[in-house]
Amino acid sequence: MSIGVWGYLGEYEQERDDLLDAVDTVFRSGQLVLGASVEGFEAEFAGYHNVDACVSVDNGTNAIVLALRALGIEAGDEVITVSNTAAPTVIAIDAVGARPVFVDVDPDTYLMDVDQVEAAITPRSRAILPVHLYGQSVRMEPLLAIARRHDLAVLEDCAQAHGARHHGRIVGSFGDAAAFSFYPTKVLGAYGDGGAVLTGSRSTAARLRRLRYYGMEDRYYVVQTPGHNCRLDAVQAEILRRKLIRLDSYIKRRREIADRYREGLAGTGLVLPAVADGNEHVYYLYVVRHPDRERIMASASAAGIHLNVSYRWPVHTMSGFAHLEYGPGSLPVTERLADEIFSLPMYPSLTEIAQERVIDALVRAL
């Protein structure tokens, strides 16, 4: 039997009764759009992060788009971020008409190199968008200090780091706003798509609620700025409420899997994940490095082990972003990582027997 880099069927069998009850709860509620399930999830997700407000939306990309708009980012503004990320981070910046400005990443953690941020600031800079990649936090204290000195907004991309902490503080509670994705693969994943924005600002939350609902406050009356139709589906909201209760147990299980990888792959020549000082990693992905990646992945595939590369093409190298004029060599660490990184199977229902097969296949390949 083959082993995928991600799977949900084992989790579904364990949680099936609760998940089907969630669907039945919404169908019997009499309200299929917004309603009690959405309001309940928003309150509970905000409470989990000790943040004043959560505004749920239909996916993680629109969470970033609406958050940028709510923070006042407009066409011609610049947003500082990284190229070592999923393309939707940058697509969202482009969607509001702003220009992404890239800084390179730390060679050990693969996260934004905060020491490069200040040099990237120009008179058109309006925001910094740190990506808490693979399950751990960017160094937020110095980043926030830079933002304060230059009067820049900070929007955290938390799509891959639900529940991660930095010096004891949970990600999503640092910036002016924080965007989350609930795509099924995420640490807190829906059974479909979904997203949310956290903020401590009442005015930002109010703008977000208008923007996700056409720009309306009262029904059919657009206030100030036209918005979008970006509401979280009520069924997904109710499922996320049930799963939020189990989020800490999902994280505990991911850390156990990471510990077994660390032990089983020690001494193989793979560069294993480094955890930055003060970080509590949640291992959305277990990303390793090796210069002979393609041979290793092919060997594992022949043994029925499917690995993945996140991400094979840095955003600045994609033809769709050629207009940004970042040539080869402009982000050397990011580009080198793209040639060497790959992800191992990582999900809570991954069994110890399956994980041993993964480890054995990699040991043989190396």
Side-chain angles (χ1 to χ4, degrees):
M1 181 180 294
S2 65
I3 299 172
V5 74
W6 175 78
Y8 73 93
L9 292 175
E11 175 189 283
Y12 178 68
E13 288 304 318
Q14 296 168 9
E15 301 179 359
R16 181 175 181 272
D17 289 346
D18 193 32
L19 295 170
L20 294 181
D21 182 69
V23 175
D24 189 62
T25 296
V26 174
F27 287 178
R28 291 178 180 272
S29 71
Q31 189 165 8
L32 299 177
V33 178
L34 297 177
S37 291
V38 172
E39 292 170 4
F41 172 69
E42 289 177 340
E44 291 153 16
F45 196 65
Y48 182 85
H49 292 84
N50 196 29
V51 171
D52 287 344
C54 169
V55 179
S56 61
V57 295
D58 56 346
N59 59 64
T61 306
N62 280 334
I64 301 176
V65 170
L66 268 62
L68 289 168
R69 289 194 63 187
L71 293 172
I73 308 305
E74 300 176 343
D77 292 343
E78 292 181 350
V79 178
I80 298 169
T81 190
V82 292
S83 180
N84 181 36
T85 183
T89 304
V90 184
I91 289 168
I93 297 170
D94 184 76
V96 301
R99 177 183 174 85
V101 174
F102 298 119
V103 297
D104 216 340
V105 296
D106 180 273
D108 297 319
T109 64
Y110 319 150
L111 300 166
M112 174 182 277
D113 186 344
V114 175
D115 294 337
Q116 296 188 26
V117 169
E118 201 145 22
I121 295 172
T122 76
R124 301 178 77 172
S125 300
R126 294 293 179 270
I128 307 172
L129 205 169
V131 181
H132 301 308
L133 196 70
Y134 303 148
Q136 66 172 324
S137 176
V138 171
R139 291 192 299 131
M140 291 304 295
E141 293 90 344
L143 189 67
L144 291 170
I146 292 168
R148 286 192 293 268
R149 282 198 298 272
H150 296 274
D151 193 26
L152 302 178
V154 174
L155 170 60
E156 299 174 71
D157 183 343
C158 300
Q160 300 189 10
H162 303 175
R165 293 180 181 270
H166 179 62
H167 293 294
R169 185 171 173 180
I170 195 165
V171 301
S173 67
F174 287 94
D176 297 286
F180 289 79
S181 167
F182 304 120
Y183 188 74
T185 62
K186 305 303 185 187
V187 179
L188 179 63
Y191 276 70
D193 225 330
V197 182
L198 296 179
T199 181
S201 165
R202 291 185 179 181
S203 59
T204 301
R207 287 193 292 273
L208 285 163
R209 291 191 181 96
R210 288 196 297 268
L211 287 168
R212 75 166 177 192
Y213 192 58
Y214 308 108
M216 298 177 183
E217 284 184 357
D218 296 318
R219 199 171 185 180
Y220 302 128
Y221 189 90
V222 176
V223 180
Q224 298 177 347
T225 305
H228 308 264
N229 179 12
C230 295
R231 299 164 297 202
L232 178 64
D233 183 82
V235 170
Q236 300 301 338
E238 186 62 33
I239 288 172
L240 288 165
R241 293 184 76 182
R242 311 297 179 95
K243 295 189 70 177
L244 180 60
I245 297 169
R246 297 187 281 271
L247 177 55
D248 289 343
S249 68
Y250 299 153
I251 293 170
K252 180 175 182 290
R253 176 66 177 158
R254 287 174 179 271
R255 288 174 175 154
E256 291 169 352
I257 293 168
D259 287 344
R260 284 201 299 275
Y261 276 139
R262 189 178 303 112
E263 180 179 347
L265 297 171
T268 60
L270 284 177
V271 178
L272 304 181
V275 182
D277 180 55
N279 274 356
E280 298 174 37
H281 207 310
V282 297
Y283 296 101
Y284 166 60
L285 298 177
Y286 193 88
V287 178
V288 299
R289 285 175 60 193
H290 197 283
D292 202 10
R293 175 182 70 192
E294 302 307 322
R295 182 190 63 80
I296 295 167
M297 292 183 66
S299 177
S301 180
I305 311 298
H306 300 289
L307 310 178
N308 191 40
V309 180
S310 299
Y311 299 94
R312 188 178 292 273
W313 300 281
V315 177
H316 75 283
T317 69
M318 297 179 182
S319 59
F321 290 99
H323 62 283
L324 298 177
E325 299 182 340
Y326 282 86
S330 57
L331 299 171
V333 177
T334 294
E335 292 165 31
R336 184 171 74 250
L337 291 175
D339 291 333
E340 299 182 357
I341 57 175
F342 59 103
S343 304
L344 311 188
M346 170 59 78
Y347 45 96
S349 59
L350 181 69
T351 66
E352 291 188 28
I353 292 172
Q355 189 178 8
E356 285 303 317
R357 278 187 57 199
V358 176
I359 291 170
D360 288 347
L362 290 170
V363 169
R364 285 196 301 273
L366 290 155

